[in-house]
Amino acid sequence: MYVFFLQEILDFNHFDSERTPEEEFKMELFCVLTNQIEHNCIGGTLKDYIVGLGIVERAIAYITKHAPCVKPTLLRTDSDELKEFISRPSLKYILRFLTGLASKHEATQLAISKDIIPIIHRLEQVSSDEHVGSLAENLLEALCTDEATATRVQEVRDFTRAEKKRLAMATREKQLDALGMRTNEKGQVTAKGSILQKIEKLRDETGLTCFICREGYACQPAKVLGIYTFTKRCNVEEFELKSRKTIGYTTVTHFNVVHVDCHTSAIRLARGRDEWERASLQNANTRCNGLLPLWGPDVSEAAFSACMTRHSSYMQESTQRCDISFPSSIHDLKMILMRFAWERSFHDDAGGGGPQSNMHFVPYLLFYAVYLLLSSRSTARDCKTLIAYLTAAPSDKWLECGYEVEGPLYMLSISLALHSHETWNKHKLAHLKRLIAVAQARHISPSVLCKALLSQSDRQTKDYIVYHPFLMMWALIDLIYSVLFKSVSTPKEEDWSISLFDYIRKNDEAMLKSTDTILQTFTEEFLPCTRFGEFCDVAGK
């Protein structure tokens, strides 16, 4: 009946031209409804009913009719026809409710995958005040929960990547020709005289590049790159029992990389505008209040330290003088990983940036935490605390620590900075047992310290959904070790933090590829698990 009530505002062409505030409110309600449908049998039935009403078909027809023609070439994202399309009031709502309906629902995914994936992918690359790019990215991520549809999405993205590379090579050939050079059949550049000295400037960038000057470490090895971030003040543990909660911060990103010098120059030219207001225009219209510096292989320590000091002042300002320390940075890392495990939104805070952007950010957030750890020289003490938690604490204390600020989720996250892959494998089952115990305790007693499970019903195994997010958190950490850090080697266990720091610093291209693999494996294999046995089968692989 509720959907029938909304039928009148689902005439999208009418909504574009003659909408009222009441109709906009109804459309907003429909988006909220579709995104809150649970991923179970009842939710699937409701989605089938909505699809049966023709709403998805109507939305697809609207997109197909009004979207600019998508040809098999790399099209400009700033064309007038595309600007006109993304400015249509109905589009943002359509992307939002299609995301909710497509999430783990095969019928909706198949309907969308027939015609409009290239259009949605094109929208993914644009920036607008309505954050259409982020909404399109979220829709594609929802479609990736189906294997066949995920393959189609990846094909479209791979084509765009290949087309960009082809155009870049064409531009390169044009530049070579202007300099009196050419590329032979073997791909070698040939030239005469002193012109050969200029070839170094034409090297291809394969890692992180500044989105303003389009250069990275290959062309500008000594310049500091940074990542635009958005940080806000928050409680670090929602289940903490103290009346006065421990305050920390949480950070998200759209993963736009820029030279610190380019950022400074752009801000200097933007007279009369706030620094971060100007930066947000370059950050795909996504809010930002920080610029996390990266220590490139050839960047001097003095240059990096100066940029890190500047970033710390940004953090102090955006968090209202929170303590910027190693423990608070681990809480920050913990909370971004919890967004993946609990399937929470990334773009609500900043208005942009989805799962892929923030997964790319994870190793650099850990890099920042390890930098603070090495600066504080507290590695030995923190390692001792972690080992004591894993080995010394009796099982009857597991439930109590589930309500502590530095409880199992914190200890799970801090292991990335302190323990090698081998040590993780040795203790990962101990981590898992404590997470399961905490899930049980928090489910039974979310607001009062649960010292023991007294009744027989309390001791019984609950539905898998109770343990699911905690199991996903564990799986995510295990994937980071097995995929992201599989090549990190260290002669001694106590040197893990240093080896990890150096590895992330020197392998930005590997970081991007590995985090894509982690997100794909996590989304396609772990999140769909509906039984503990199924989770164990996937984890055992």
Side-chain angles (χ1 to χ4, degrees):
M1 292 299 294
Y2 181 69
V3 177
F4 280 121
F5 175 68
L6 293 173
Q7 283 280 22
E8 61 187 77
I9 54 98
L10 295 176
D11 180 350
F12 305 119
N13 291 311
H14 173 79
F15 185 85
D16 284 346
S17 59
E18 301 180 21
R19 66 193 178 280
T20 64
E22 180 182 358
E23 289 174 334
E24 289 185 348
F25 179 66
K26 289 181 181 179
M27 188 73 86
E28 180 70 27
L29 288 179
F30 184 60
C31 293
V32 173
L33 168 67
T34 54
N35 280 274
Q36 294 299 320
I37 298 175
E38 296 186 3
H39 303 145
N40 54 28
C41 181
I42 297 175
T45 302
L46 176 56
K47 289 184 179 181
D48 288 338
Y49 176 70
I50 295 175
V51 172
L53 293 175
I55 295 174
V56 173
E57 183 179 355
R58 197 181 308 169
I60 293 173
Y62 174 88
I63 292 176
T64 305
K65 176 182 178 181
H66 295 290
C69 179
V70 177
K71 300 177 182 178
T73 56
L74 186 65
L75 299 173
R76 292 175 55 191
T77 59
D78 58 350
S79 63
D80 291 338
E81 56 183 0
L82 185 58
K83 288 180 180 179
E84 180 183 357
F85 178 49
I86 64 178
S87 66
R88 287 184 167 271
S90 294
L91 181 61
K92 63 178 181 179
Y93 294 108
I94 290 175
L95 294 175
R96 287 173 60 191
F97 74 68
L98 285 181
T99 299
L101 293 173
S103 181
K104 300 183 181 179
H105 187 244
E106 184 177 1
T108 305
Q109 292 174 349
L110 291 176
I112 295 175
S113 64
K114 289 180 181 178
D115 300 308
I116 65 170
I117 283 182
I119 300 174
I120 302 303
H121 170 61
R122 188 180 180 191
L123 293 177
E124 182 185 25
Q125 304 170 63
V126 304
S127 61
S128 70
D129 293 337
E130 301 295 343
H131 310 296
V132 168
S134 296
L135 296 176
E137 180 185 0
N138 292 337
L139 176 53
L140 290 180
E141 293 300 329
L143 293 174
C144 288
T145 55
D146 176 74
E147 184 176 352
T149 310
T151 301
R152 172 65 175 144
V153 171
Q154 192 59 46
E155 288 175 353
V156 174
R157 285 173 168 171
D158 289 343
F159 175 82
T160 297
R161 192 177 296 112
E163 191 68 11
K164 285 183 178 179
K165 184 175 181 180
R166 184 188 68 79
L167 292 177
M169 291 301 296
T171 302
R172 182 173 182 267
E173 289 296 329
K174 187 176 181 180
Q175 292 174 334
L176 287 172
D177 184 66
L179 294 172
M181 297 179 287
R182 65 182 181 86
T183 304
N184 61 22
E185 295 79 5
K186 296 181 180 180
Q188 300 170 328
V189 176
T190 59
K192 296 180 181 180
S194 61
I195 296 178
L196 288 172
Q197 299 173 2
K198 302 179 181 180
I199 290 191
E200 185 68 16
K201 297 181 180 180
L202 299 173
R203 288 192 301 168
D204 290 333
E205 295 284 0
T206 57
L208 299 175
T209 56
C210 172
F211 67 85
I212 292 180
C213 69
R214 304 299 178 184
E215 294 180 344
Y217 293 130
C219 296
Q220 299 286 351
K223 294 182 70 173
V224 181
L225 285 169
I227 304 169
Y228 278 134
T229 61
F230 180 78
T231 303
K232 73 171 186 178
R233 183 184 176 98
C234 67
N235 297 332
V236 298
E237 177 53 69
E238 62 178 306
F239 284 88
E240 185 181 6
L241 297 178
K242 296 178 182 178
S243 58
R244 188 171 183 178
K245 307 293 185 182
T246 303
I247 299 297
Y249 52 86
T250 179
T251 305
V252 291
T253 182
H254 208 152
F255 205 75
N256 283 316
V257 180
V258 62
H259 282 123
V260 174
D261 290 347
C262 291
H263 165 78
T264 304
S265 299
I267 298 305
R268 188 182 302 119
L269 294 173
R271 298 176 181 176
R273 278 188 171 174
D274 174 76
E275 176 178 4
W276 299 117
E277 180 186 357
R278 171 58 180 154
S280 67
L281 297 178
Q282 302 177 86
N283 190 31
N285 285 309
T286 303
R287 294 175 66 193
C288 54
N289 53 21
L291 185 59
L292 179 66
L294 308 178
W295 196 348
D298 297 319
V299 173
S300 68
E301 182 175 358
F304 174 75
S305 297
C307 294
M308 186 61 80
T309 301
R310 185 177 177 183
H311 178 67
S312 296
S313 67
Y314 292 148
M315 295 280 286
Q316 289 278 346
E317 187 175 332
S318 62
T319 61
Q320 302 169 35
R321 303 297 168 185
C322 274
D323 177 37
I324 310 298
S325 62
F326 173 64
S328 60
S329 67
I330 292 296
H331 281 297
D332 193 11
L333 175 65
K334 174 195 73 176
M335 284 185 279
I336 198 172
L337 294 177
M338 287 177 67
R339 289 181 190 249
F340 288 99
W342 269 258
E343 298 182 73
R344 295 170 180 166
S345 171
F346 292 90
H347 64 267
D348 284 352
D349 292 336
Q356 185 180 44
S357 301
N358 285 277
M359 183 57 78
H360 285 166
F361 183 53
V362 166
Y364 300 102
L365 198 57
L366 177 60
F367 177 86
Y368 178 56
V370 174
Y371 174 81
L372 295 175
L373 172 66
L374 297 176
S375 301
S376 66
R377 300 182 181 180
S378 63
T379 307
R381 183 181 71 247
D382 291 321
C383 284
K384 184 177 180 180
T385 302
L386 180 56
I387 290 297
Y389 159 79
L390 291 169
T391 60
S395 58
D396 58 352
K397 297 292 184 181
W398 291 2
L399 301 179
E400 295 183 31
C401 70
Y403 300 87
E404 295 176 358
V405 170
E406 297 185 356
L409 291 170
Y410 175 86
M411 292 299 180
L412 187 70
S413 303
I414 202 176
S415 65
L416 288 170
L418 300 176
H419 280 173
S420 66
H421 198 171
E422 293 75 15
T423 306
W424 163 255
N425 285 333
K426 179 180 177 182
H427 294 291
K428 64 182 182 181
L429 288 183
H431 279 292
L432 184 60
K433 290 176 182 178
R434 283 159 175 76
L435 288 174
I436 293 174
V438 169
Q440 184 95 352
R442 289 184 176 183
H443 175 71
I444 294 167
S445 180
S447 59
V448 180
L449 183 61
C450 183
K451 295 185 177 180
L453 301 177
L454 301 178
S455 68
Q456 189 63 31
S457 62
D458 287 347
R459 295 174 181 271
Q460 291 179 349
T461 303
K462 306 301 179 185
D463 291 338
Y464 176 76
I465 193 66
V466 172
Y467 312 101
H468 181 267
F470 293 87
L471 298 178
M472 294 303 102
M473 186 74 171
W474 181 91
L476 196 53
I477 297 291
D478 192 51
L479 281 173
I480 291 173
Y481 270 110
S482 60
V483 177
L484 193 62
F485 300 146
K486 65 179 180 180
S487 301
V488 182
S489 59
T490 178
K492 298 179 181 179
E493 176 67 24
E494 55 268 25
D495 293 335
W496 167 255
S497 299
I498 298 174
S499 299
L500 182 63
F501 185 83
D502 291 338
Y503 181 77
I504 298 175
R505 177 185 172 189
K506 298 175 182 177
N507 294 276
D508 58 282
E509 187 176 2
M511 295 296 103
L512 297 178
K513 293 180 179 178
S514 296
T515 48
D516 280 338
T517 301
I518 289 172
L519 182 59
Q520 182 179 3
T521 304
F522 180 73
T523 304
E524 296 179 0
E525 297 186 20
F526 280 101
L527 279 181
C529 293
T530 57
R531 300 185 305 275
F532 187 73
E534 188 178 352
F535 166 79
C536 292
D537 291 340
V538 176
K541 295 178 183 178

